[in-house]
Amino acid sequence: MRMSTKAQYAVRALVSLNLTSDGDPVSIKDISSRENISLNYLEQLFVKLRRGEIVKSVRGPGGGYMLARPAADIRVDEIIDTVEETLVPVSCMEADGSCSCTSECATQSVWQGLGNQIRTFLASMTLEDLTNEGRRRLDS
Amino acid sequence: MRMSTKAQYAVRALVSLNLTSDGDPVSIKDISSRENISLNYLEQLFVKLRRGEIVKSVRGPGGGYMLARPAADIRVDEIIDTVEETLVPVSCMEADGSCSCTSECATQSVWQGLGNQIRTFLASMTLEDLTNEGRRRLDS
DNA sequence: ATCATACCTGAGTGTTTCTGTCAATTATTT
DNA sequence: AAATAATTGACAGAAACACTCAGGTATGAT
Ligand code: FES
Ligand code: FES
């Protein structure tokens, strides 16, 4: 039951972006070196984040990425969805989910409930919350 | 963010065991055929469940497995721990967890909180709850 | 005793997913 | 034109996953 590094990196990178941004775009290279994440790997993530309209890109010198929306409007569960990490803990609950299990399966209620918990929790946090948390830590 | 089949199978198998048991041990073969789970794979899981004192074994003809404790005393999170599936969503929060991240990392609070949610939810359900749920489904 | 049953154990294996790397291209500003 | 930086797709090593196989051991019934 691990969150993939994709999800971890995406959240970290966006917090970092929002912390260091002063209105200008931030280059992916800066984020990469500050957060110690592979440059090329980060690029893959930002392509998805752009398609998911979490960030927008500015090309050319002085370019980079910036948030596509106010940080308060970006929920953590959205970020994770966007980099393609499922939050449903078992496959039989998904669209194509075929299960060897019979209809009287009692364990479904466990995973169903667990999935809801996870979703609800991550939807209750926004990028702004995390950025404030980061600022608070920097001060101390 | 997927629960491994180890965890899924373990929970299903234990519910099945408890549903069909009438005090006598239940053979792993029965569970295997009823739940469509590989026999040899199930054996591996039950070895761990026995070591974790979730079940006890009865050898020889007519033998099998039975619960080591009342179903009401067996929490779902215990079962998952026992088959060695971590419930901590990121590695940097574990004992040997080394992280490239700096000390002002704001995302820790996300994963910390998420881990607590998952743990709390799964600790709130017992094998008895699930067995009752299964019985209810069988009746309808 | 011996046979069938069923637990017990460890080694091995094919597949998939994860985590990145590399190379080449396109777009923009100076 | 030149430098910057995003964009894309192919590829690859490593690890985890989901089993399978080949035995061995303990017990009860005949
Ligand atoms: S329906 Fe998928 S485990 Fe029962
Ligand atoms: S401490 Fe591990 S991601 Fe920041």
Side-chain angles (χ1 to χ4, degrees), chain A residues 92 99 101-102 105 107-108, chain B residues 8 12:
Chain A
C92 42
C99 194
C101 213
T102 52
C105 178
T107 66
Q108 273 192 326
Chain B
Q8 297 179 43
R12 263 172 69 190

Side-chain angles (χ1 to χ4, degrees), chain A residues 27-28 43 47 50-51 57 59-61 64-65:
Chain A
S27 85
I28 213 175
E43 281 176 344
V47 168
R50 185 175 54 78
R51 288 188 187 138
S57 63
R59 302 179 79 141
Y65 287 95

